[in-house]
Amino acid sequence: MTDQNEPQLTRIQQKNRERILEGALTAFSANGFRGATIDQIAEAAGLSKPNVLYYFGSKDEIHKTLLTALLDMWLAPMLAIDPRGDPLDEVLDYVSAKLRLSRDFPRESRLFAYEILQGAPHLNEILGGRLRMLVDETVAILAAWIDEGRLAQVEPHHLIFSIWALTQHYADFEVQVRAVLGPGHDPFAEAELYLENLFRRMLQV
Amino acid sequence: MTDQNEPQLTRIQQKNRERILEGALTAFSANGFRGATIDQIAEAAGLSKPNVLYYFGSKDEIHKTLLTALLDMWLAPMLAIDPRGDPLDEVLDYVSAKLRLSRDFPRESRLFAYEILQGAPHLNEILGGRLRMLVDETVAILAAWIDEGRLAQVEPHHLIFSIWALTQHYADFEVQVRAVLGPGHDPFAEAELYLENLFRRMLQV
DNA sequence: TGAAATGCTGACCGAACGGTCAGGATCAGG
DNA sequence: CCTGATCCTGACCGTTCGGTCAGCATTTCA
């Protein structure tokens, strides 16, 4: 039972669609949806503009495809939280994993940031649907831990928000972070230490 | 010695420039620089497009004027940190003030977010210049407090980043926050409690 | 090997956009 | 009331952009 949603793509289709999405990720994350042009995407992908539109019907479709394809990667670390694990370790692992995503996939982070800033025109139903359900499950786990006295009393929704905010900040506002720190700093390495300290202090009972 | 940088504006100039900046703030914060059009700005300001360009030479000039005019408001709470005050109170007051800015001026917050995401093309020299100096001063205050044992040992730069990240998140990602929380929540009121708790736990010695 | 399917492109289109300009309306103040 | 400065606009311009299309090239597979 392999995934047959997109009925078999040819070798060329597979390669070129991938190239386009890769180029589009660079373009969209650098300039936002309206700021990026199909020509930019085409050049980054090494294809002609009409050829890009041969594989994806419109600029919008490329954008939508990118966003939905990336959502899973973005949400995966939250799913990895194990209700049977040690509460503090689980949260700290989540923070660490999310920070690594920011470090290794800043373009993806910025893509989402643009989308949410814009008012999430493409993700609106997902935010209030799948994402909200996923968060609710995680909130339930956290609430149980707190009830059992294994985690300090904090509001679980906002705990999650704070993890998102703090980790994504280092990708989305990287320019600012680097400018303020000046040269000779490794923002992500420092953030790792700082955030572990922060959440440890806040969540230890 | 009144501020005479802009040699006296007429009554009409003053009113219309203000209208344009107000309309531009709405347009830019909703769609980003490239996403906003001069026509949109003109309509929001209740003026014709050529008239907008009569007061500001270009779209870019409007944007730049907005950004620099807003910077002071945005940085003011950090300047209000008093080295002679109680360390924890001072930090918590700063957090609270910054969160109020997010609540009351979300458009301004989003405007900056777009600018930084873009790579800060208009603010680059400010980020590494005035902002960095301002942060360095605040860092010095925080470091002194930490040295004196009046604040827990945390890296001051990243403390400031975390305040920015956590407070701005509620303005910039408001759509996501509301979607995940669902109806019947007051994100900012909850955030106030949560963040005070967070920073109190983290910073108390 | 040949023909059908797939892949690709140059040229082009219409709309949107930033910006200009000539000239008319309005206002300030002597 | 007159005049010069300020204010405002319709019409227009060149460019950019998303998207189309006719037709040629290449690949696939029987």
Side-chain angles (χ1 to χ4, degrees):
Chain A
M1 199 168 91
T2 54
D3 203 338
Q4 297 273 20
N5 285 349
E6 308 274 330
Q8 70 270 14
L9 297 173
T10 69
R11 195 169 35 85
I12 297 178
Q13 279 168 351
Q14 198 142 2
K15 185 190 64 183
N16 282 351
R17 285 178 64 99
E18 199 169 330
R19 277 194 190 183
I20 291 169
L21 291 176
E22 168 68 22
L25 178 57
T26 299
F28 285 140
S29 68
N31 305 109
F33 180 75
R34 288 224 34 197
T37 68
I38 300 185
D39 287 283
Q40 270 174 40
I41 296 172
E43 188 176 347
L47 301 173
S48 70
K49 181 167 75 160
N51 205 14
V52 168
L53 289 163
Y54 172 71
Y55 288 102
F56 291 90
S58 68
K59 186 182 172 186
D60 223 81
E61 192 183 319
I62 303 177
H63 191 242
K64 204 166 189 171
T65 304
L66 256 189
L67 277 176
T68 52
L70 260 30
L71 244 192
D72 288 319
M73 169 165 95
W74 222 241
L75 262 27
M78 194 156 70
L79 283 165
I81 294 178
D82 182 357
R84 294 156 309 175
D86 176 69
L88 192 55
D89 284 346
E90 291 296 324
V91 174
L92 291 181
D93 281 353
Y94 177 44
V95 171
S96 183
K98 204 78 178 50
L99 186 64
R100 269 198 307 276
L101 282 186
S102 279
R103 194 228 302 152
D104 298 335
F105 304 97
R107 291 179 306 170
E108 284 80 350
S109 187
R110 290 194 189 106
L111 184 76
F112 281 117
Y114 273 117
E115 173 68 8
I116 307 292
L117 262 181
Q118 209 91 269
H122 292 111
L123 290 180
N124 234 327
E125 70 286 358
I126 293 182
L127 293 190
R130 193 169 131 225
L131 177 63
R132 190 178 161 195
M133 284 179 58
L134 217 162
V135 169
D136 281 347
E137 287 170 27
T138 309
V139 163
I141 298 174
L142 293 168
W145 283 338
I146 293 169
D147 267 0
E148 297 165 12
R150 303 170 69 193
L151 225 48
Q153 296 245 357
V154 299
E155 214 291 307
H157 288 100
H158 290 267
L159 171 57
I160 292 172
F161 293 151
S162 63
I163 294 172
W164 290 350
L166 288 168
T167 54
Q168 288 167 12
H169 185 80
Y170 287 94
D172 303 342
F173 289 69
E174 187 172 358
V175 185
Q176 192 184 47
V177 168
R178 288 194 185 274
V180 167
L181 284 178
H185 283 263
D186 180 344
F188 288 98
E190 296 173 16
E192 171 97 54
L193 294 176
Y194 177 81
L195 293 182
E196 178 177 337
N197 184 29
L198 185 157
F199 284 105
R200 197 179 282 281
R201 281 174 167 276
M202 184 183 52
L203 293 177
Q204 238 156 13
V205 281
Chain B
M1 199 168 87
T2 52
D3 202 338
Q4 297 273 17
N5 284 351
E6 308 274 329
Q8 69 270 11
L9 297 175
T10 70
R11 194 171 34 84
I12 297 180
Q13 279 168 349
Q14 198 141 2
K15 185 191 63 181
N16 282 350
R17 284 178 65 98
E18 199 167 331
R19 277 194 188 184
I20 291 169
L21 291 176
E22 167 68 23
L25 177 56
T26 299
F28 286 140
S29 68
N31 304 109
F33 180 75
R34 287 223 34 199
T37 69
I38 300 186
D39 287 280
Q40 271 175 38
I41 297 172
E43 187 176 346
L47 302 173
S48 69
K49 182 167 74 161
N51 205 11
V52 167
L53 289 165
Y54 172 71
Y55 288 102
F56 292 90
S58 67
K59 186 183 172 185
D60 223 81
E61 191 182 320
I62 303 177
H63 191 242
K64 204 165 188 172
T65 304
L66 257 188
L67 276 177
T68 52
L70 260 30
L71 243 191
D72 289 320
M73 171 166 92
W74 221 241
L75 261 28
M78 194 157 69
L79 283 165
I81 295 177
D82 182 359
R84 293 156 311 175
D86 175 69
L88 192 55
D89 284 347
E90 291 295 325
V91 174
L92 292 180
D93 282 352
Y94 176 43
V95 172
S96 182
K98 206 75 181 46
L99 186 62
R100 271 199 304 279
L101 283 187
S102 278
R103 195 228 303 153
D104 299 335
F105 304 96
R107 292 179 306 171
E108 283 80 350
S109 187
R110 290 195 189 104
L111 184 75
F112 281 117
Y114 273 117
E115 174 68 8
I116 308 292
L117 262 180
Q118 210 90 269
H122 292 111
L123 290 180
N124 235 327
E125 70 287 357
I126 294 181
L127 292 190
R130 193 169 130 228
L131 176 63
R132 188 176 164 197
M133 284 181 58
L134 218 162
V135 168
D136 280 347
E137 288 170 25
T138 309
V139 164
I141 298 175
L142 293 167
W145 283 339
I146 293 169
D147 267 0
E148 298 165 10
R150 302 170 70 194
L151 226 46
Q153 297 245 359
V154 300
E155 213 291 308
H157 288 100
H158 290 267
L159 172 57
I160 292 173
F161 293 151
S162 63
I163 294 172
W164 291 349
L166 289 167
T167 54
Q168 287 168 11
H169 186 81
Y170 287 94
D172 303 341
F173 290 68
E174 187 172 359
V175 185
Q176 192 185 45
V177 168
R178 289 194 185 276
V180 167
L181 284 178
H185 283 264
D186 180 345
F188 288 99
E190 297 173 15
E192 171 98 55
L193 295 175
Y194 177 81
L195 293 183
E196 180 178 335
N197 184 30
L198 184 157
F199 283 105
R200 197 180 283 282
R201 280 174 167 275
M202 184 182 52
L203 293 175
Q204 238 158 13
V205 281

